[in-house]
């Protein structure tokens, strides 16, 4: 039960208790007021009732069209009629001045009273019984004209016929059965209306209905009290009028709440809900849902404003662009739910860093605006350190690292988008350096970006036009001092860019997905060139070709190799495919199966840059390889570093023990050659013998029978 319902029960109960007390002691309540005193009290009470009735009517008149309904119009016009009839009752009361057409009398006053009460009971019942609905403005005007006409007609009837009717009140004896009968009919109508209103309330739960119900309870009880008085001036008559005034007051309150206060409160609630909704929309538009940090849009706007302030005050502003290292691995291994929790904790830690503006730009990227601090470098390192501390998520301890790029206004840019772009470049430079560190923007990054973008555009054209050449670096048998193989290498000389180093365009080809068509082109060219060599009688030469991880993942790669072998009729053992240690360590089923299928064809497998990657060589147990190619970084130091020399010698011995061929890369001096002879290295390649050269030069070198 609501507070309002409890209060309504209390008020109604008190009304009944007081009525029962009046009923029980009615025989003792014989007090009669003096005529002039009673008339004053009666007039005051009636005029209060009339004022309330007219206020209810006036409420209906001034209600806005959208607030006024048929039911409220019926109630308003009913009270207009009741108010007018009560006024006539008051003026015709015994010893009152009367009206123009008749003098005052008990019979006339009581007739007007009963007419008012019957009008009130019958028309209010109809008002709540008949269906509700909207009204037109013309209906409103008509609705207020009809009750005035009705009052005029009823008044004429009462004035002309009241005295011809049986008496309604007998002085000294009280009310007659006729009056009491009419009063009981009125109370019956009130009871029906109360039941109807209770049903309405249960259906719609409108609080103002409770006030109207209380009003009807008081009116119902007032009618019963008016059947008890013996003299028009006695105290019971006053009690009846008091109940009537209270009933009218509750009626006014209920209709006021329903017509004005509650609609305005509803409008106010709607406006508050709209404001809240707008605030939610603003938050959705400007804040990240996961971390509650400002999003990219809010961040850009804030950065623009901060730069304007910094320009006026001649201050410096730094932008920190932060990206979590290897965040994808956390999502893949621990699930996206854990990844989301981690992002929330990262946001929380960054937000606690002094008074800096922190935003999440998307994914695992964050941006921080730092204004006018003594050392931007110190703040950057602080961010690296604070995110390097362990995170505890679902009873697990997680460690992450981050790469951070910094750009500073006005040194690195004077507008927000330039600073964002430069901070992003610096962040990627930090990743290239090994991650878990920060980098300050350098104009060289812009040149590199422009060059990389140009390479990306030109590479597409070069692949279409077959402008990338295949060069070969000879592989020498150390014991026979004879060219026995050649490694196929991609070389690109562009009209605009000039010579583009392989480490530049190969990585771009990997990023953009061009590595497969590029790899196929190199593979096909190398096979056809080897076929030409063999056709010229140099059948002792093999070709070594580098493979990328994407090629090994391609479902068409095996059929492509098989088709080339069938087309050229080359023996598979003349082809050696080089893979890196990273590929050898891959646990992807597709990659492992492809390598095994190549071995089953008879193609040889070599591990390129051996020793430069992972320290574990356990992969040699799972992948059957034929050759280890010692990374050139070892060969460069075999003369100057005794430890490297011993390690290189151990690698060569390991290869021989495993019955693998061993090739040394990066041989450039006589001393390197002497070392390799002393350690019984099988083969070597490097600038000491020959740089990578076009196929025609390789043919001449083989034909000359020496290097």
């Amino acid at each position: 039960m609501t507070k309002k319902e409890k209060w309504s029960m209390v008020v109604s109960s008190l009304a009944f208790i007081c009525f029962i007390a009046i009923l029980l002691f009615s025989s003792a309540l014989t007090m009669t007021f003096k005529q002039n005193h009673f008339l004053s009290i009666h007039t005051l009470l009636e005029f209060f009732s009339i004022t309330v009735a007219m206020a209810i009517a006036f409420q209906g008149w001034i209600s806005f069209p959208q607030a006024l309904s048929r039911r409220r119009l019926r109630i308003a016009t009913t009270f207009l009629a009741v108010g007018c009839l009560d006024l006539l009752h008051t003026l015709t009361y015994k010893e009152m001045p009367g009206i123009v057409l008749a003098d005052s009398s008990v019979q006339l006053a009581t007739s007007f009273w009963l007419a008012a009460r019957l009008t009130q009971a019958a028309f209010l019942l109809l008002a709540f019984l008949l269906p509700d609905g909207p009204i037109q403005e013309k209906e409103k005007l008509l609705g207020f004209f009809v009750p005035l006409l009705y009052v005029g007609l009823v008044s004429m009837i009462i004035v002309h016929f009241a005295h011809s009717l049986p008496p309604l009140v007998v002085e000294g004896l009280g009310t007659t059965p006729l009056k009491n009968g009419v009063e009981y009919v009125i109370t019956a109508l009130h009871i029906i209306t109360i039941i109807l209103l209770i049903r309405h309330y249960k259906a719609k739960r409108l609080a103002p209905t409770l006030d109207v119900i209380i009003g009807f309870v008081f009116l119902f009880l007032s009618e019963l009290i008016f059947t008890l008085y013996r003299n028009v001036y006695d105290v019971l008559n006053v009690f009846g009028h008091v109940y009537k005034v209270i009933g009218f007051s509750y009626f006014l309150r209920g209709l006021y709440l329903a017509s004005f206060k509650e609609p305005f409160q509803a409008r106010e609630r709607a406006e508050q809900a709209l404001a809240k909704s707008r605030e939610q929309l603003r938050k959705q538009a400007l804040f990240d849902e996961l971390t509650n940090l400002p999003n990219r849009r809010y961040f850009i706007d804030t950065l623009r404003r901060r730069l304007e302030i910094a320009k006026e005050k001649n201050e410096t502003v730094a932008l920190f662009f932060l990206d979590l290292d290897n965040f994808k691995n956390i999502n893949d291994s621990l699930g996206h739910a854990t990844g989301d929790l981690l992002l929330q904790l990262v946001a929380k830690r960054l937000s606690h860093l002094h008074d800096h503006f922190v935003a999440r730009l998307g994914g695992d990227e964050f941006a921080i605006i730092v204004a006018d601090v003594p050392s931007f470098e110190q703040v950057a390192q602080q961010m690296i350190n604070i995110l390097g501390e362990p995170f505890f998520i679902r009873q697990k301890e997680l460690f992450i690292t981050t790469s951070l790029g910094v750009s500073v206004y006005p040194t690195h840019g004077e507008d927000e988008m330039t600073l964002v772009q430069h901070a992003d470049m610096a962040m990627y430079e930090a990743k290239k350096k090994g991650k878990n560190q920060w980098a300050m923007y350098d104009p060289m990054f812009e040149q590199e970006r422009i060059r990389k973008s140009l390479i990306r555009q030109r590479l597409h054209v070069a692949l279409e036009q077959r402008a990338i050449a295949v060069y070969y670096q000879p592989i020498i048998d150390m014991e026979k001092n004879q060219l026995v193989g050649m490694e196929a290498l991609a070389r690109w000389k562009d009209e605009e860019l000039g010579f583009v180093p392989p480490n530049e365009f190969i990585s771009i080809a990997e990023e953009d997905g061009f590595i497969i068509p590029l790899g196929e082109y190199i593979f096909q060219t190398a096979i056809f060139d080897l076929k030409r060599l063999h056709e010229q009688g140099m059948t002792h030469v093999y070709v070594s070709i580098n493979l990328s991880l994407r090629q090994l993942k391609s479902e068409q790669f095996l059929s492509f190799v098989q088709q080339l072998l069938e087309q050229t009729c080359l023996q598979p053992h003349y082809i050696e495919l080089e893979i890196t240690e990273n590929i050898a360590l891959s646990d992807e089923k597709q990659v492992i199966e492809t390598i095994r299928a190549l071995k089953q064809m008879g193609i040889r497998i070599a591990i390129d840059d051996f020793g430069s990657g992972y320290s574990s060589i356990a992969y040699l147990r799972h992948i059957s390889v034929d050759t280890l190619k010692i990374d050139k970084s070892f060969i460069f130091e075999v003369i100057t570093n005794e430890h490297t020399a011993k390690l290189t010698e151990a690698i060569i011995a390991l290869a021989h023990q495993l019955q693998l061929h061993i090739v040394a890369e990066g041989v450039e001096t006589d001393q390197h050659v002497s070392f390799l002879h002393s350690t019984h290295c099988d083969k070597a390649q490097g600038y000491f013998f020959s740089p990578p050269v076009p196929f025609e030069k390789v043919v001449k070198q083989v034909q000359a029978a020496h290097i």
Side-chain angles (χ1 to χ4, degrees):
M1 187 178 289
T2 65
K3 186 177 180 181
K4 179 76 174 177
E5 289 171 344
K6 290 179 181 177
W7 174 251
S8 300
M9 290 290 291
V10 169
V11 173
S12 299
S13 299
L14 287 174
F16 272 100
I17 291 169
C18 292
F19 169 74
I20 292 170
I22 292 171
L23 191 63
L24 292 174
F25 298 103
S26 61
S27 59
L29 296 172
T30 57
M31 173 185 170
T32 303
F33 290 92
K34 291 182 178 180
Q35 176 183 311
N36 56 341
H37 293 166
F38 180 85
L39 287 176
S40 297
I41 295 171
H42 177 265
T43 304
L44 284 174
L45 291 173
E46 282 297 340
F47 267 87
F48 186 87
S49 298
I50 294 165
T51 303
V52 172
M54 291 304 175
I56 293 172
F58 185 66
Q59 266 188 194
W61 178 258
I62 66 171
S63 290
F64 304 111
Q66 65 268 26
L68 187 62
S69 63
R70 290 188 185 280
R71 180 167 295 154
R72 289 176 186 172
L73 179 62
R74 292 177 196 134
I75 293 170
T77 54
T78 297
F79 273 95
L80 177 60
V82 169
C84 292
L85 291 171
D86 275 342
L87 177 62
L88 293 172
H89 158 74
T90 305
L91 294 175
T92 58
Y93 205 79
K94 185 180 178 182
E95 302 302 329
M96 286 292 287
I99 55 177
V100 175
L101 299 176
D103 294 326
S104 62
S105 69
V106 174
Q107 184 75 355
L108 194 60
T110 307
S111 298
F112 276 118
W113 169 267
L114 290 177
R117 302 289 73 77
L118 274 171
T119 300
Q120 170 189 294
F123 283 100
L124 286 180
L125 175 59
L126 289 173
F128 290 109
L129 190 61
L130 295 175
D132 197 6
I135 64 164
Q136 302 295 327
E137 186 67 25
K138 60 183 180 180
E139 292 181 82
K140 180 178 175 181
L141 294 172
L142 184 63
F144 280 91
F145 173 74
V146 168
L148 297 177
L149 189 65
Y150 168 81
V151 169
L153 181 63
V154 169
S155 300
M156 290 176 63
I157 293 172
I158 290 173
V159 168
H160 285 87
F161 298 103
H163 292 288
S164 61
L165 293 173
L168 300 172
V169 178
V170 177
E171 290 290 338
L173 295 177
T175 56
T176 64
L178 176 61
K179 179 181 183 296
N180 289 345
V182 175
E183 294 282 11
Y184 292 142
V185 170
I186 294 169
T187 57
L189 293 175
H190 283 332
I191 290 172
I192 295 170
T193 308
I194 290 171
I195 294 170
L196 189 65
L197 285 171
I198 291 172
R199 290 179 60 187
H200 279 191
Y201 176 74
K202 287 182 177 180
K204 298 184 179 181
R205 295 286 173 181
L206 298 175
T209 306
L210 293 173
D211 290 310
V212 176
I213 291 172
I214 294 173
F216 269 107
V217 168
F218 275 97
L219 293 177
F220 159 72
L221 295 174
S222 75
E223 297 301 329
L224 293 177
I225 293 172
F226 283 124
T227 63
L228 301 176
Y229 68 86
R230 299 180 186 84
N231 189 294
V232 291
Y233 298 137
D234 72 15
V235 72
L236 291 175
N237 201 345
V238 173
F239 283 145
H241 280 84
V242 169
Y243 264 70
K244 176 192 168 189
V245 166
I246 295 173
F248 272 36
S249 299
Y250 267 100
F251 232 105
L252 177 63
R253 173 183 166 82
L255 293 175
Y256 166 72
L257 290 176
S259 301
F260 292 94
K261 187 175 180 180
E262 288 216 342
F264 277 108
Q265 287 177 338
R267 180 178 177 180
E268 187 176 306
R269 288 193 297 271
E271 289 176 350
Q272 289 173 351
L274 181 61
K276 186 177 180 181
S277 177
R278 284 174 177 169
E279 178 60 24
Q280 288 176 342
L281 289 174
R282 190 189 76 86
K283 190 173 181 181
Q284 289 174 0
L286 299 178
F287 288 85
D288 174 58
E289 186 177 356
L290 178 65
T291 61
N292 287 325
L293 289 178
N295 61 14
R296 178 181 288 272
R297 178 182 174 184
Y298 191 8
F299 163 74
I300 294 296
D301 290 342
T302 303
L303 180 59
R304 185 185 300 115
R305 292 195 298 271
R306 292 283 181 93
L307 293 180
E308 290 172 358
I309 295 170
K311 189 174 183 180
E312 292 175 2
K313 296 184 178 181
N314 196 27
E315 293 178 341
T316 55
V317 175
L319 171 60
F320 292 72
F321 204 92
L322 183 151
D323 184 270
L324 304 183
D325 297 328
N326 305 315
F327 179 73
K328 183 178 181 297
N329 294 342
I330 293 174
N331 275 338
D332 292 344
S333 59
L334 301 178
H336 287 273
T338 299
D340 288 346
L341 289 174
L342 178 60
L343 289 173
Q344 289 172 344
L345 292 176
V346 167
K348 193 173 181 181
R349 284 193 189 179
L350 292 174
S351 298
H352 290 164
L353 279 173
H354 306 294
D355 193 24
H356 307 317
F357 182 88
V358 182
R360 182 185 178 215
L361 304 186
D364 59 338
E365 291 183 344
F366 296 84
I368 303 98
I369 302 173
V370 180
D372 212 28
V373 296
S375 172
F376 294 125
E377 294 82 356
Q378 185 177 352
V379 175
Q381 192 57 51
Q382 185 182 11
M383 291 179 186
I384 298 288
N385 294 340
I386 199 170
L387 294 182
E389 296 175 5
F391 291 87
F392 294 93
I393 300 175
R394 294 177 176 176
Q395 299 180 340
K396 290 183 180 179
E397 189 177 41
L398 294 181
F399 288 90
I400 62 168
T401 60
T402 186
S403 298
L404 195 151
V406 185
S407 62
V408 180
Y409 167 86
T411 309
H412 302 142
E414 296 189 0
D415 64 89
E416 65 278 3
M417 298 313 297
T418 302
L419 287 173
V420 169
Q421 186 181 41
H422 289 171
D424 188 37
M425 289 181 193
M427 184 269 291
Y428 278 106
E429 186 65 22
K431 283 192 179 291
K432 282 199 297 183
K433 287 180 179 178
K435 303 179 180 179
N436 195 31
Q437 57 187 293
W438 63 274
M440 185 72 75
Y441 172 75
D442 189 303
M444 287 294 295
F445 300 164
E446 179 73 8
Q447 296 177 20
E448 291 175 7
R449 185 190 68 83
I450 294 173
R451 177 173 172 80
K452 190 174 182 179
S453 177
L454 189 55
I455 289 174
R456 180 171 277 111
Q457 296 173 21
R458 297 295 300 166
L459 180 60
H460 185 72
V461 177
L463 286 171
E464 287 183 348
Q465 298 178 352
R466 298 290 179 100
I468 296 176
V470 179
Y471 278 42
Y472 300 93
Q473 186 170 40
I475 300 172
I476 309 302
D477 187 308
M478 293 299 292
E479 184 178 349
K480 298 178 182 179
N481 193 31
Q482 182 184 7
L483 189 154
V484 293
M486 55 185 185
E487 180 179 356
L489 300 167
R491 293 293 181 267
W492 179 25
K493 187 175 182 180
D494 186 73
E495 295 177 357
E496 294 183 24
L497 299 168
F499 177 73
V500 183
N503 62 329
E504 286 192 62
F505 72 83
I506 293 293
S507 61
I508 294 174
E510 286 273 9
E511 292 173 10
D512 293 359
F514 294 149
I515 195 67
I516 292 179
L518 176 60
E520 288 181 354
Y521 167 68
I522 294 170
F523 199 109
Q524 187 177 50
T525 303
I527 295 299
F528 281 122
D529 285 346
L530 181 64
K531 173 68 174 175
R532 287 164 59 191
L533 269 180
H534 284 200
E535 287 174 348
Q536 294 179 37
M538 292 164 271
T539 55
H540 63 287
V541 179
Y542 72 91
V543 69
S544 186
I545 306 169
N546 290 280
L547 287 185
S548 70
L549 183 60
R550 285 203 181 187
Q551 285 176 283
L552 290 170
K553 287 182 179 180
S554 173
E555 295 179 358
Q556 290 77 34
F557 182 66
L558 286 175
S559 60
F560 168 75
V561 174
Q562 186 67 46
Q563 186 177 356
L564 272 179
L565 288 174
E566 292 173 359
Q567 189 175 352
T568 58
C569 299
L570 280 172
Q571 293 298 316
H573 65 268
Y574 285 110
I575 302 171
E576 186 171 77
L577 301 182
E578 297 184 17
I579 61 174
T580 62
E581 289 182 284
N582 289 347
I583 295 175
L585 282 165
S586 173
D587 58 356
E588 294 188 44
K589 187 177 179 181
Q590 176 72 28
V591 174
I592 295 171
E593 289 180 355
T594 301
I595 292 173
R596 288 175 179 170
L598 291 169
K599 281 291 294 178
Q600 289 174 359
M601 288 182 192
I603 293 173
R604 289 150 51 185
I605 302 296
I607 302 295
D608 193 20
D609 301 329
F610 184 80
S612 65
Y614 293 87
S615 58
S616 173
I617 58 172
Y619 59 82
L620 295 176
R621 295 181 301 166
H622 305 293
I623 297 178
S624 176
V625 301
D626 302 277
T627 305
L628 299 181
K629 299 190 75 172
I630 303 173
D631 187 66
K632 59 186 178 182
S633 62
F634 284 85
I635 304 303
F636 289 164
E637 294 185 4
V638 292
I639 305 303
T640 58
N641 190 313
E642 184 179 354
H643 178 71
T644 302
K646 289 181 178 179
L647 189 57
T648 304
E649 187 175 357
I651 292 172
I652 293 171
L654 173 65
H656 288 156
Q657 193 70 28
L658 296 173
Q659 296 183 342
L660 301 176
H661 295 283
I662 190 83
V663 179
E665 297 180 298
V667 179
E668 295 187 357
T669 67
D670 289 330
Q671 292 172 311
H672 292 160
V673 174
S674 298
F675 174 82
L676 295 174
H677 275 301
S678 66
T679 54
H680 307 291
C681 183
D682 300 332
K683 301 166 190 170
Q685 67 183 91
Y687 278 72
F688 178 81
F689 304 108
S690 172
V693 293
F695 176 69
E696 290 73 17
K697 286 193 177 183
V698 174
V699 174
K700 291 180 181 179
Q701 289 174 353
V702 178
Q703 289 174 342
H706 62 82
I707 305 303

